[in-house]
Amino acid sequence: MIDLFLIGIGTGNPDHLTLQAIKALNGADLILIPRKGADKADLAELRREICAGVIANPNTRFAEFDLPKRDAANPDYREGVEQWHDAIAQVWADTIAKHPKAQRVALLVWGDPSLYDSTLRIADRLSPAPQITVIPGITSMQALTAAHAIPVNEIGAPFVVTTGRKLREDGWPKGINTLVIMLDGECSFAQIDPTGVHIWWAAYVGMPNQITISGPLHAATPQITTRRAEARAEHGWIMDIYLLRR
Amino acid sequence: MIDLFLIGIGTGNPDHLTLQAIKALNGADLILIPRKGADKADLAELRREICAGVIANPNTRFAEFDLPKRDAANPDYREGVEQWHDAIAQVWADTIAKHPKAQRVALLVWGDPSLYDSTLRIADRLSPAPQITVIPGITSMQALTAAHAIPVNEIGAPFVVTTGRKLREDGWPKGINTLVIMLDGECSFAQIDPTGVHIWWAAYVGMPNQITISGPLHAATPQITTRRAEARAEHGWIMDIYLLRR
């Protein structure tokens, strides 16, 4: 049975690494690094840099593998995701099998393995089941609120973390004043009633090219959509996140 | 104008510290350490240990101060909290004033300054206003999900973060399957309908004395309440957190 370490590494700032993550990386025999072909958002080079910056163990081996593509043509979204996760688990297993001496295997996870991330679900597909250790990491949600120096919640009040798709489909959840929106490729904030809503938005949170915009939603929307399109064109990819409060 | 660094330090495991936090601690002229008298939950000794473990700057000064007590007799809870925060800000200001050469002042915050924490709100009361920098830290929510090796969300689904009080007063939020409950001193999970609900509970998350219990809510409830009472009696304090999913 292998020991599998799912290591949260934060949002792209190498200084987001915790001491726990650094120790786990240095304890690994094998580190798996996914590549997405020409997709710049795979940030494979940044993963390599993060590892190079903190790994002092000369015995650590790296294995890069090509990440399978999700079949976006599958009309059943959930089924498409399930098949994709099966395929990734198979590539992990094949890659690990090429290193039969590797007992401690690590994967670097952007943000935290618990939050809108598939790594745990993919790991659950491995057979025989590995011993899984999760190392928490700084999430984009935390990098967002840190960048704006704001609390995520009002005093003693609840908040919802959700996706752009859910915001568009289900609207603003009842009885909740604060929403954190993740995985939104479609500027869903522009599709809700902006009355009385304030937005704190950021892209590339924690990275040198971080962009932050905040303000009343009606005023900030055109500013964000313009800046977002420019940044996406410039970098070839974008990851953004925002908090809405009314 | 002083530079005020609010530094998330995680949940009591010194290895939760990020490199960013360590740099900020080493860059500080003055670090404020609160004491709560005989209250063991102030963990002042653990703060000192965390600092001693990573601060290499011989010029860093420490200033301990007695944290004012909240007037629990005030029938207006919000007003009581506001007055308490005013009093804390005054003690910070007085403590900083005793170190007129300190330009970079740091406060260590359990978890992350954005999540159910008052530090940002207290800092906003300082006059003149400081330049505030927030350093995110591992939260108890992340330490909980890491301890159980579970994702916080179902695939693409929302979740609510709330308090024990809100769960008791408002019930289970509509349209949401996953709740993370914080600040619950009263085992509120025992007061809801357990049908079809699974709980992942932990106390002292990230610390050596961490306790985890999970299972169907109806079966886990007596186990958790008993273990919680024992642990509280043993340590003199307890901090716990849990995730509910149906």
Side-chain angles (χ1 to χ4, degrees):
Chain A
M1 188 174 76
I2 64 160
D3 288 312
L4 185 64
F5 293 81
L6 309 184
I7 305 176
I9 56 170
T11 69
N13 179 348
D15 284 345
H16 280 174
L17 280 182
T18 64
L19 296 178
Q20 196 177 27
I22 293 169
K23 287 179 183 175
L25 287 169
N26 277 289
D29 303 311
L30 179 66
I31 297 177
L32 304 184
I33 307 269
R35 282 184 309 230
K36 288 190 194 171
D39 185 345
K40 290 182 183 174
D42 71 353
L43 302 177
E45 185 52 34
L46 184 51
R47 286 181 201 257
R48 288 183 208 111
E49 278 172 27
I50 286 172
C51 288
V54 299
I55 295 179
N57 179 354
N59 298 318
T60 306
R61 294 286 164 269
F62 295 86
E64 303 208 352
F65 65 93
D66 292 318
L67 202 63
K69 278 197 166 49
R70 181 167 67 82
D71 178 10
N74 190 325
D76 184 332
Y77 173 78
R78 276 297 286 272
E79 190 186 85
V81 168
E82 297 288 339
Q83 289 173 355
W84 183 45
H85 288 175
D86 286 343
I88 296 173
Q90 190 57 55
V91 176
W92 287 6
D94 294 345
T95 309
I96 294 168
K98 287 179 198 155
H99 298 80
K101 287 188 187 159
Q103 165 60 25
R104 296 160 72 90
V105 177
L107 277 145
L108 285 67
V109 178
W110 296 116
D112 184 294
S114 73
L115 186 64
Y116 291 109
D117 183 83
S118 307
T119 314
L120 270 164
R121 293 188 183 90
I122 297 166
D124 282 343
R125 288 164 154 81
L126 293 178
S127 175
Q131 174 69 38
I132 296 177
T133 301
V134 175
I135 313 283
I138 301 301
T139 63
S140 55
M141 191 165 100
Q142 295 168 279
L144 169 73
T145 51
H148 288 284
I150 55 166
V152 61
N153 60 288
E154 296 177 290
I155 297 177
F159 62 96
V160 165
V161 183
T162 190
T163 65
R165 173 194 292 253
K166 281 280 172 190
L167 179 64
R168 292 194 309 276
E169 289 177 358
D170 302 344
W172 193 293
K174 281 194 182 135
I176 304 277
N177 287 331
T178 300
L179 311 183
V180 178
I181 310 293
M182 303 188 60
L183 305 181
D184 184 8
E186 306 185 34
C187 293
S188 306
F189 55 84
Q191 300 179 40
I192 62 169
D193 177 3
T195 311
V197 177
H198 199 99
I199 186 168
W200 288 266
W201 175 88
Y204 314 107
V205 281
M207 296 190 187
N209 50 342
Q210 173 177 290
I211 311 167
T212 57
I213 296 176
S214 66
L217 182 54
H218 69 92
T221 289
Q223 225 182 319
I224 295 170
T225 49
T226 304
R227 191 73 192 81
R228 189 181 187 284
E230 288 168 359
R232 186 179 187 167
E234 185 189 343
H235 297 293
W237 65 282
I238 193 162
M239 286 284 280
D240 60 342
I241 179 168
Y242 52 96
L243 186 149
L244 300 171
R245 183 131 55 213
R246 64 176 181 197
Chain B
M1 188 173 76
I2 64 160
D3 289 312
L4 185 64
F5 294 81
L6 308 183
I7 305 176
I9 57 169
T11 70
N13 179 347
D15 284 344
H16 280 175
L17 281 182
T18 65
L19 297 178
Q20 197 178 27
I22 293 170
K23 287 179 184 176
L25 287 168
N26 277 288
D29 303 313
L30 179 66
I31 296 176
L32 304 184
I33 306 271
R35 281 185 310 230
K36 288 190 195 171
D39 185 346
K40 290 182 185 173
D42 70 355
L43 301 177
E45 185 53 32
L46 184 50
R47 287 181 201 258
R48 287 183 210 110
E49 277 172 30
I50 286 172
C51 289
V54 299
I55 295 179
N57 179 354
N59 298 317
T60 306
R61 293 286 163 269
F62 295 86
E64 304 208 352
F65 64 92
D66 292 318
L67 203 63
K69 277 196 167 51
R70 182 166 65 82
D71 178 9
N74 191 326
D76 184 332
Y77 173 77
R78 276 297 286 272
E79 189 186 86
V81 169
E82 297 287 339
Q83 289 172 355
W84 184 44
H85 289 175
D86 286 344
I88 297 172
Q90 189 58 54
V91 175
W92 286 7
D94 294 346
T95 308
I96 294 167
K98 287 180 196 154
H99 297 80
K101 288 190 186 155
Q103 164 61 26
R104 297 160 72 90
V105 177
L107 278 146
L108 285 66
V109 178
W110 295 116
D112 183 294
S114 73
L115 186 65
Y116 291 108
D117 184 83
S118 307
T119 314
L120 271 164
R121 293 189 182 90
I122 297 166
D124 282 342
R125 288 163 154 82
L126 293 177
S127 175
Q131 175 68 39
I132 295 177
T133 301
V134 174
I135 313 285
I138 300 302
T139 63
S140 54
M141 191 165 101
Q142 294 168 280
L144 169 73
T145 51
H148 287 283
I150 55 166
V152 60
N153 60 287
E154 296 175 291
I155 296 177
F159 63 95
V160 164
V161 183
T162 189
T163 65
R165 174 194 292 253
K166 281 280 173 190
L167 179 64
R168 292 193 309 276
E169 288 177 0
D170 302 344
W172 194 293
K174 280 191 182 138
I176 304 276
N177 288 331
T178 300
L179 311 183
V180 178
I181 310 292
M182 303 189 60
L183 305 181
D184 184 8
E186 305 185 32
C187 294
S188 305
F189 54 83
Q191 299 180 39
I192 62 169
D193 177 3
T195 311
V197 177
H198 200 99
I199 186 168
W200 289 264
W201 175 88
Y204 314 107
V205 280
M207 297 189 187
N209 50 341
Q210 173 177 292
I211 312 166
T212 57
I213 296 175
S214 65
L217 182 54
H218 70 93
T221 289
Q223 223 183 321
I224 295 171
T225 50
T226 304
R227 192 70 192 84
R228 189 181 187 282
E230 288 167 0
R232 186 178 187 168
E234 185 189 341
H235 297 293
W237 65 281
I238 193 162
M239 285 285 279
D240 59 341
I241 179 169
Y242 51 96
L243 186 148
L244 301 172
R245 183 132 55 213
R246 65 177 180 193

